[in-house]
Amino acid sequence: CDGNFMLSRNFRLQKVGSIDWVFKNYDIENITNYIDELMLINLSREKNSNKLFLNNLKKLSKKTFIPITVGGKIESEKDVENLLDSGADKVLINSLFFKNPKMCQSISKRYGKQFLMGSIDYARPKKKVKVFDSSTGKFSSLGIGKWIDHLLKFGAGEVLLQSMDHDGTGNGTDLQILKSINKKKYPLILMGGVGNHDHIVNALKNKNIDAISTANIFNFIGNEFL
């Protein structure tokens, strides 16, 4: 975000340091030996932040040889081209599925479904599961199952479910959300709440989960987690 690496808890952001700080304080090359994929998301609200983000993506891509999935501020195929030129291997799209799903479909047709990961942010206001649209700050009227169908219809090849309530807490993943989903033939990734090894192991025991994504645990535990 604006050149800085961020921590997130319940979608509230806290600055950690610049990309150079990350390289100095994290053993990036070692960490990537233990994960399958790296996700990088541009969270900046500034209009002119893309150049700085792309430069940081280039720096990061030179430090790792695993696939990098990149999201945030993707509005067009040109944005995708810029990300690819800067080191991205795949894209993660969230808001564009609300604003312009046909553009998502066009990106998918051009690069393939395996190239496009659809992201869903969700919460439980008043204990009812709701899909959140970060571009408007409002919840969708569609249920999470129908929203997954929407993502798949318009080109997503896999789905990332991110719990806003569990985000950054370290209290465990939201396995209850799986009761709201009729799992079909697409990879499903769960994100939010991982605080220890057992949280990952227990989640992956569920046949509907294909992968777990985590971020903050590396900030607090670092290499001891590996």
Side-chain angles (χ1 to χ4, degrees):
C1 183
D2 302 325
N4 291 299
F5 179 62
M6 311 295 287
L7 285 176
S8 173
R9 183 182 175 97
N10 303 128
F11 277 42
R12 294 189 295 272
L13 300 176
Q14 177 183 344
K15 184 172 71 174
V16 175
S18 68
I19 190 73
D20 294 323
W21 182 94
V22 171
F23 290 148
K24 181 178 179 180
N25 292 277
Y26 283 71
D27 188 355
I28 294 291
E29 293 179 7
N30 183 43
I31 288 175
T32 55
N33 287 328
Y34 297 90
I35 59 178
D36 293 323
E37 191 171 335
L38 189 64
M39 291 186 190
L40 190 65
I41 302 174
N42 184 358
L43 298 172
S44 176
R45 299 292 184 184
E46 299 296 326
K47 292 183 178 180
N48 299 321
S49 66
N50 281 354
K51 184 177 181 180
L52 179 58
F53 180 81
L54 293 173
N55 285 336
N56 284 335
L57 173 58
K58 289 177 182 178
K59 291 180 181 179
L60 190 60
S61 66
K62 292 177 181 178
K63 293 281 187 177
T64 177
F65 296 99
I66 62 173
I68 301 178
T69 298
V70 184
K73 303 189 74 171
I74 297 175
E75 304 284 346
S76 66
E77 290 189 28
K78 181 61 177 177
D79 291 334
V80 172
E81 290 175 11
N82 290 336
L83 291 174
L84 287 172
D85 289 342
S86 300
D89 298 284
K90 296 165 55 179
V91 294
L92 174 72
I93 291 180
N94 186 309
S95 296
L96 195 61
F97 277 105
F98 287 92
K99 296 186 289 186
N100 191 351
K102 289 187 177 180
M103 176 57 67
C104 298
Q105 192 173 49
S106 178
I107 292 169
S108 180
K109 286 182 177 180
R110 179 173 178 180
Y111 296 101
K113 284 193 172 185
Q114 78 286 347
F115 176 81
L116 174 53
M117 181 186 298
S119 173
I120 299 175
D121 302 327
Y122 71 93
R124 286 186 171 83
K126 299 181 180 180
K127 298 183 179 181
K128 186 175 181 180
V129 177
K130 293 280 189 177
V131 176
F132 184 70
D133 179 1
S134 60
S135 66
T136 63
K138 298 179 181 180
F139 289 101
S140 170
S141 59
L142 290 180
I144 196 163
K146 289 186 178 180
W147 191 251
I148 290 176
D149 289 340
H150 173 79
L151 264 59
L152 298 175
K153 176 182 177 181
F154 287 99
E158 55 188 318
V159 175
L160 173 72
L161 284 179
Q162 168 139 268
S163 169
M164 299 171 68
D165 301 316
H166 287 242
D167 174 52
T169 64
N171 294 327
T173 57
D174 179 21
L175 296 179
Q176 292 297 314
I177 191 63
L178 300 176
K179 296 180 180 180
S180 305
I181 297 169
N182 180 19
K183 182 67 162 63
K184 299 177 182 178
K185 293 182 179 180
Y186 60 89
L188 182 64
I189 303 166
L190 199 61
M191 184 174 184
V194 173
N196 57 50
H197 297 82
D198 291 339
H199 292 155
I200 293 178
V201 172
N202 291 335
L204 291 176
K205 286 180 180 177
N206 191 296
K207 63 181 181 179
N208 289 330
I209 296 296
D210 298 281
I212 296 294
S213 178
T214 182
N216 287 1
I217 194 168
F218 290 108
N219 303 312
F220 298 117
I221 300 178
N223 286 356
E224 295 178 13
F225 181 71
L226 302 176

